[in-house]
Amino acid sequence: MKKCCILLIALCLLAGCTPLLEREYSTVEPHSSKLWESEAAGTLRAENYQDIVNDLLILIGQHTETATLRLYNVDNKLQAADLLERATVEVQQETPMGAYAVEYITSSSQAQRGYYEVEIRISYRRTLEQIQAVVNATSPEALYALLDTALTEERTELAVRVGYWSPENGQTQVEEALSRVREERGLLERPMWPVLYYPDGGPVGLIEFLLDQEVPPEEMEAVDGQAELGEEQSPEESAENEEKIGSKG
């Protein structure tokens, strides 16, 4: 039997069937198994600062509002509180999804034998449907097709996570894609749609187009102050700009 199998494989290779034997298999896992406790269903674990950040991003991706995390390798409650505070600030201010979806994150910890048990609470400014609707693009060059599809589907907003962002011409590519699709659809006479970049003031990882809202040209500079990459806004300025956008909806 073994000789027959070898003979069949050899004949297949000679006959040009190589692609059949070169299939690529891939699996998609929603999270790394090392970030979950094996004996406590639904409980996350963290052994260092980066694990905490990764745990929070898992929760945000699932739009989880409350969760339990076990924090190991921590000497005292002060150290635990410091790690949690720094991680929550990084996720909210420096990660694309955190900056886009999260209103605030709070945590409280309690010492247990060998670890700290942390209760996480996350308040969102985006719904689960909005988070799930975020699409991926390797670079801003793919934005034209995504915008065109969004308009065809009559979507009111489009959020795109970009895998690569060029500080030199990334925003220019976004504006060119937007202008191209508006020109082809005969929308140049209509006021420009708001475009928001996340995170604010850092390398862009997510771009949001509000296709159902219009901002008059004279207000674009104020509303799109966030789009001036490299210039950080104060909390007061960000709140004022969001209020302006909301008033147009």
Side-chain angles (χ1 to χ4, degrees), residues 2 4 10 22 47 66 102 117 148 150 177 189 204 219 241 243:
K2 183 181 296 185
C4 290
E22 293 182 350
E47 298 183 1
T66 60
V102 175
E117 186 163 285
D148 189 61
E189 299 301 319
V204 173
E219 294 185 16
N241 287 344
E243 182 178 352

Side-chain angles (χ1 to χ4, degrees), residues 2 19 30-31 41 55 95 100 117 127 145 155 164 167 212 223 227 241:
K2 183 181 296 185
H31 54 258
D55 286 343
T95 68
Y100 167 73
E117 186 163 285
T127 65
R155 294 177 58 180
Y164 171 76
D212 65 333
V223 175
N241 287 344

